[in-house]
Amino acid sequence: MSASNEIDDFASMLRRHRLAAGLSQEELAEKAGLSSDAVAALERGRRRAPRPLTVRLLATALNLSESEFGEFTESLRRSPTVYAPQVQGPPLPPDTLIGRASELAELSSLLSHGGVRLVTLTGLGGVGKTRLAIAVANEVRRQFEAGACWVPLGARPDGPEVTDAVAAAVGLRPASDAAEVDALAEHISSRQLLIVLDNCEHVVETCAWLCTVLLQRCPRLTILATSRELLRAPGEVVRQVQPLTVPPSRAAPEEIREADAVRMFLARAAAHGVHPRDDRLLQVSRVCRSVQGIPLAIELAAARVNVLTIEQIADELDTSSRILSGGSRTAPLRQQTIDAALDWSYQLLSAEERGFFEAVSTFSGGWTMSAAVAVFCAEQTDACHERVLDLTGRLIDKSLIRVDRDAAEARYSMFSVIRQYADRRLDDGGRRTLIEQRHLHYYVELAERAERSLGTDQQAATLDHLDVELDNLRVALGRAISRELGAESMRLGAALWRYFYLRGHYSEGRDWLESALRIARAAPEPVAPSALAAASRGAGYLAFLQCEYDVAAERLDEALALYRRLDDAAGAALTLRHLGSIAREQGDYDRSYQLHLEGMQLRQQLGDKAGIAWAWHYLAFVSWLRMDFDRARDYAEAALAYFQQAGDGEGITWSQINLGVVALYEGDLGTAERLLHQSLGRAQRLGFREGVGWSLNLLGVVARRQGRLERAIHLLDESLAEQQELGDKWRAASVLEALASVAQEHDNSAYAAFLLGAAAAVRDTIGAPVPLCERPDNELTMAVVRDKLGERAFAHAWGAGQATPLHAVADGYPPDTLSTLDTPW
């Protein structure tokens, strides 16, 4: 009898005895404690080597006699196994592993010598978990006596097939009955073996159970799993696979080339026959930053080099991840596009998890737990907070949300490609309007709370908080304005103008406020006058900081009229302060002084100590500009005493600047330098850019008077760059004039004349004269330079300065037509 007939005899024998007993396959399986699939496999000959225990269970269930049982076992002994047990090793890597050197070393050590028996590589889809696992398995396989066994689970739809896959991979015939777990454990026994379970997330519960059982019963077994979701099995050690390193936005070409993400892009582009030149590296860097170093996304982006330039790829990725498709034909479908990779994860979510996943995509730049509760829940109850906490944890475990625990409060975020995917799903669910409304309301209230903390001892912390939330605040403003929501636009813009001022975002803040004002004026329903006044005042002050005095005065006059109509003395006083600042820069010191006095009187009527202190500061400012130094000192000292008591960092900075200027012009250079160093340090710590620019400017003047010309150049150059970025042309002109004095003392009269001409052009543009206290230095420099150069050369250099844009002067580029200016210092 042939081997196949012997096997058929056993299958026929089982079927004959089952039919004789009047049992169906399902009934026999139930009596034997097996699965119906196992019985069917034996009868069909699919399973050719049943274990002796399985045969005994079947014989007992069939109530076989001793002789019949003997025939069963004899048939089993004679039947060839034809199934040659063989461990299924890890696949060979298709290409060189880029980056991951530290991860590979750590994991190899952990699995070989670390006493760890279960390691899970987790991370988002496409981050390179499988690729790293292949490298690790091939690296350590020789250190396991029985080798490394690779079990791909990507196509396993249910739990029992996982056991079958592992059994097959370690050299056992796959089977579906629960008893085969015993056989699997028996087969592995005490062999030193590494099993790699790849792609566990869709069968995570089965994988967790199987790992637990096998590790308990096989003392020398080690398991490495890859999964988008944690197994949460006993003894599990988790290593999150991070994206590849990307270069910073202002990296040098050598630094760009060394970044792992760039190395991968260049390698994949080369595979398509494209070898980007060095001058395209910045665009490659843009691509890698856009996809945040995710390997699958880099590969898919690089695949587009056959039809797009790298710059086009980068431009596309700035707004959408839709071009990330067209992966390898032999890769699983979920790895052929970014959307397919994310579909795989999305389909594994519960309905509630999907809803939360979509809702948090409305955030930009991350979010806090309280923010998530606000956008996800209709009512912010304790029960809802617990739900959001649980959902956040689940999505972190599934590698869809990232958590940053570095600060006192945890912050959550998504990779950009995941956020874009979730955002598209939010459209599919029809919940976008509701979720975005909740987001807007949350950030309006956050901004208003923050605005009330500015000017207190909480200012530094508040500014830092607003920095962190800036992307969300910008998104909220954009939504309010694009939907022409007048009230929300006004409230948010009015609450943020002072933040934009302190951080030096003059243009951005003003643009938002002007848009909000435009919407409010056209709104069918009138906007609250108080919000309109606050927004007008903020827009006016930011316009003043950019030296657009006419626009600033118009907005501030509108605000003052509204405050007076509302009988809002505090708002009127603040607006008078801003109008006084315009008059100060235009050289009308008497009017400026009177406006500040009027504002102070209103503050005194209100008993507003903070407002009075700020009025003292501005009166000090006007006083030293018009060279009334005794009065300036008195006002500044009174203001400083209050600001120090209140912990107002901005106020302390300004008071130190005022007192430093007084010391400077009175010739006490040591005191001036000490006070201005203090103001500079505090402004830098606060991120108060106007204070930084002023302090650098005045320290540069001090250094020039001390004869330290190189230091003066350095400080004034830094101040000029700061003023140029801020858009403060009034102060930039003064810095140019101070630099001209240094150039003259440095025996570069032509460059001094050039700088004086550039400063004069700026002053002509904004309509502001040289401040009274600065005129003596300016006139002396002008006279000395004119005398040294002669009228013709002076006029030539002066004209060149007038014709050069401020940004070019700030960048240090004098015109080539003046050979003496090629090296200014």
Side-chain angles (χ1 to χ4, degrees):
M1 186 179 290
S2 68
S4 61
N5 284 337
E6 290 177 7
I7 295 170
D8 289 341
D9 285 347
F10 176 77
S12 299
M13 189 181 304
L14 174 60
R15 184 170 185 274
R16 185 171 64 253
H17 282 300
R18 176 178 62 78
L19 293 175
L23 298 173
S24 65
Q25 288 182 348
E26 290 78 8
E27 289 168 337
L28 175 58
E30 185 176 355
K31 288 187 68 176
L34 305 174
S35 71
S36 56
D37 285 345
V39 174
L42 288 167
E43 286 193 2
R44 294 191 191 106
R46 257 195 314 119
R47 183 178 173 198
R48 304 184 181 189
R51 292 175 62 241
L53 176 60
T54 302
V55 176
R56 183 173 293 280
L57 290 170
L58 287 167
T60 302
L62 291 167
N63 199 24
L64 298 182
S65 66
E66 286 295 328
S67 61
E68 289 170 331
F69 178 70
E71 291 178 8
F72 244 9
T73 56
E74 179 65 19
S75 175
L76 178 63
R77 187 185 66 78
R78 291 198 311 268
S79 298
T81 62
V82 301
Y83 173 71
Q86 187 176 4
V87 171
Q88 179 174 294
L92 294 175
D95 45 41
T96 302
L97 182 66
I98 294 176
R100 308 296 190 200
S102 61
E103 295 98 322
L104 181 58
E106 185 206 5
L107 290 165
S108 298
S109 175
L110 200 62
L111 293 170
S112 302
H113 314 295
V116 174
R117 302 184 60 211
L118 173 59
V119 177
T120 301
L121 300 182
T122 188
L124 74 154
V127 80
K129 300 181 295 297
T130 297
R131 185 67 182 82
L132 179 57
I134 290 173
V136 171
N138 281 294
E139 180 77 13
V140 304
R141 63 189 303 177
R142 290 181 180 82
Q143 299 180 42
F144 289 83
E145 293 173 3
C149 175
W150 185 266
V151 187
L153 299 175
R156 305 288 165 181
D158 55 38
E161 291 199 7
V162 173
T163 308
D164 290 352
V166 177
V170 299
L172 283 177
R173 180 63 184 168
S176 299
D177 55 276
E180 287 306 315
V181 176
D182 296 331
L184 190 52
E186 217 173 88
H187 179 77
I188 297 170
S189 187
S190 60
R191 287 195 294 167
Q192 187 187 23
L193 175 69
L194 172 67
I195 293 179
V196 184
L197 302 176
D198 186 41
N199 289 115
C200 299
E201 56 272 356
H202 59 304
V203 282
V204 67
E205 292 183 3
T206 299
C207 288
W209 168 79
L210 186 60
C211 289
T212 302
V213 171
L214 293 179
L215 290 171
Q216 286 174 346
R217 298 179 59 178
C218 306
R220 302 178 72 199
L221 174 65
T222 301
I223 298 175
L224 173 64
T226 74
S227 177
R228 300 185 191 186
E229 182 174 359
L230 306 187
L231 301 188
R232 294 197 176 280
E236 180 182 28
V237 172
V238 177
R239 289 294 180 267
Q240 187 155 28
V241 181
Q242 299 292 345
L244 298 174
T245 56
V246 298
S249 56
R250 296 186 179 181
E254 300 79 17
E255 191 177 0
I256 293 175
R257 278 196 178 276
E258 289 174 1
D260 291 335
V262 171
R263 291 171 55 212
M264 173 172 275
F265 184 94
L266 295 176
R268 300 300 181 262
H272 290 275
V274 175
H275 302 273
R277 303 187 309 270
D278 283 352
D279 61 355
R280 311 311 299 156
L281 286 179
L282 283 176
Q283 300 304 326
V284 174
S285 180
R286 274 183 65 203
V287 171
C288 293
R289 286 198 306 276
S290 290
V291 299
Q292 295 177 285
I294 298 171
L296 176 60
I298 293 171
E299 292 199 13
L300 295 173
R304 293 300 185 185
V305 296
N306 62 334
V307 290
L308 298 173
T309 66
I310 297 172
E311 187 169 8
Q312 286 176 305
I313 295 170
D315 289 343
E316 288 280 345
L317 289 171
D318 281 344
T319 56
S320 172
S321 60
R322 293 296 183 114
I323 68 166
L324 300 179
S325 59
S328 169
R329 287 192 180 93
T330 62
L333 289 175
R334 66 179 184 281
Q335 293 177 6
Q336 294 186 13
T337 71
I338 280 292
D339 274 10
L342 294 171
D343 281 339
W344 174 264
S345 291
Y346 184 80
Q347 297 304 324
L348 298 174
L349 300 179
S350 68
E352 188 176 40
E353 287 170 342
R354 291 179 185 180
F356 182 71
F357 175 60
E358 295 160 5
V360 294
S361 71
T362 197
F363 294 107
S364 180
W367 67 91
T368 60
M369 186 64 65
S370 60
V373 171
V375 303
F376 185 64
C377 301
E379 296 182 5
Q380 298 179 37
T381 62
D382 289 344
C384 182
H385 185 277
E386 289 179 12
R387 281 173 58 216
V388 169
L389 184 63
D390 178 57
L391 288 165
T392 301
R394 285 193 242 161
L395 293 190
I396 290 171
D397 286 351
K398 296 173 190 293
S399 304
L400 293 172
I401 287 178
R402 297 190 294 171
V403 57
D404 181 354
R405 306 177 187 86
D406 288 343
E409 182 179 23
R411 191 165 183 84
Y412 311 94
S413 63
M414 290 177 170
F415 285 105
S416 59
V417 291
I418 295 179
R419 180 174 174 265
Q420 290 176 25
Y421 175 89
D423 183 68
R424 292 194 291 273
R425 286 290 186 173
L426 185 59
D427 275 328
D428 296 342
R431 299 166 61 231
R432 177 177 296 282
T433 300
L434 173 64
I435 295 298
E436 291 185 349
Q437 282 176 345
R438 290 175 180 170
H439 178 277
L440 174 59
H441 292 154
Y442 177 81
Y443 282 100
V444 168
E445 293 176 0
L446 182 148
E448 289 177 338
R449 286 195 304 273
E451 198 271 340
R452 291 191 290 271
S453 296
L454 298 178
T456 72
D457 57 0
Q458 297 299 309
Q459 177 165 302
T462 298
L463 290 172
D464 289 344
H465 185 203
L466 291 174
D467 287 341
V468 171
E469 294 291 4
L470 184 55
D471 285 343
N472 277 310
L473 292 164
R474 284 169 170 157
V475 165
L477 273 164
R479 287 170 181 160
I481 288 169
S482 65
R483 294 174 185 172
E484 300 193 345
L485 303 175
E488 289 84 352
S489 299
M490 299 295 290
R491 287 175 62 192
L492 196 48
L496 289 174
W497 79 266
R498 193 171 176 190
Y499 165 78
F500 287 125
Y501 150 61
L502 290 168
R503 285 301 193 238
H505 306 312
Y506 301 163
S507 293
E508 180 183 1
R510 186 178 164 199
D511 288 345
W512 287 122
L513 282 163
E514 290 291 352
S515 296
L517 287 166
R518 173 182 52 77
I519 291 167
R521 294 186 182 108
E525 297 182 5
V527 174
S530 58
L532 191 61
S536 296
R537 177 172 53 80
Y541 190 66
L542 291 171
F544 152 71
L545 290 168
Q546 294 182 296
C547 304
E548 296 188 27
Y549 302 126
D550 291 343
V551 175
E554 181 181 349
R555 293 287 176 270
L556 291 169
D557 285 339
E558 292 171 1
L560 184 60
L562 285 167
Y563 282 130
R564 284 174 168 163
R565 195 183 314 155
L566 293 167
D567 197 24
D568 183 343
L574 194 52
T575 309
L576 288 167
R577 178 202 297 178
H578 300 333
L579 287 166
S581 295
I582 295 175
R584 180 188 71 236
E585 291 195 4
Q586 291 181 318
D588 192 344
Y589 301 123
D590 289 341
R591 181 168 185 270
S592 177
Y593 196 84
Q594 289 304 313
L595 286 167
H596 289 307
L597 278 178
E598 185 181 348
M600 186 173 71
Q601 289 164 1
L602 290 175
R603 297 291 189 183
Q604 288 171 334
Q605 292 170 14
L606 293 169
D608 179 0
K609 294 181 180 179
I612 293 169
W614 277 105
W616 287 335
H617 154 65
Y618 283 100
L619 287 167
F621 200 165
V622 176
S623 295
W624 66 254
L625 278 170
R626 63 180 183 180
M627 305 179 72
D628 187 350
F629 299 121
D630 289 337
R631 186 172 291 180
R633 183 188 300 103
D634 291 342
Y635 281 132
E637 287 177 346
L640 178 60
Y642 173 81
F643 291 138
Q644 287 176 329
Q645 180 183 357
D648 186 336
E650 180 193 353
I652 295 170
T653 301
W654 274 125
S655 297
Q656 289 171 332
I657 289 172
N658 284 337
L659 291 168
V661 173
V662 171
L664 164 66
Y665 284 109
E666 289 186 337
D668 187 354
L669 299 183
T671 299
E673 186 173 25
R674 175 177 58 80
L675 287 165
L676 293 168
H677 267 303
Q678 290 174 358
S679 68
L680 176 61
R682 178 170 279 101
Q684 288 172 330
R685 289 193 298 274
L686 289 173
F688 175 29
R689 294 185 64 188
E690 187 180 23
V692 170
W694 268 94
S695 300
L696 289 168
N697 172 189
L698 294 165
L699 281 168
V701 176
V702 170
R704 180 184 68 78
R705 294 196 175 199
Q706 292 172 330
R708 301 159 70 189
L709 299 186
E710 298 301 328
R711 175 171 170 75
I713 293 167
H714 170 72
L715 290 164
L716 291 168
D717 276 346
E718 281 195 49
S719 178
L720 183 60
E722 194 74 36
Q723 308 300 346
Q724 165 65 17
E725 285 187 27
L726 290 173
D728 186 347
K729 299 181 181 66
W730 182 68
R731 192 51 6 206
S734 288
V735 176
L736 289 173
E737 288 154 356
L739 279 167
S741 296
V742 178
Q744 182 270 316
E745 292 186 27
H746 217 280
D747 292 328
N748 196 337
S749 298
Y751 191 58
F754 169 81
L755 292 169
L756 290 170
V762 173
R763 294 198 180 281
D764 289 343
T765 300
I766 64 176
V770 178
L772 186 62
C773 64
E774 295 173 6
R775 287 178 194 172
D777 279 351
N778 191 53
E779 289 170 358
L780 177 61
T781 300
M782 184 88 70
V784 172
V785 169
R786 191 187 295 269
D787 181 62
K788 285 189 174 181
L789 289 178
E791 285 300 325
R792 183 174 181 180
F794 177 83
H796 176 59
W798 172 280
Q802 284 201 308
T804 304
L806 177 59
H807 69 84
V809 180
D811 287 341
Y813 297 115
D816 294 335
T817 53
L818 296 177
S819 60
T820 57
L821 304 184
D822 289 344
T823 306
W825 309 109

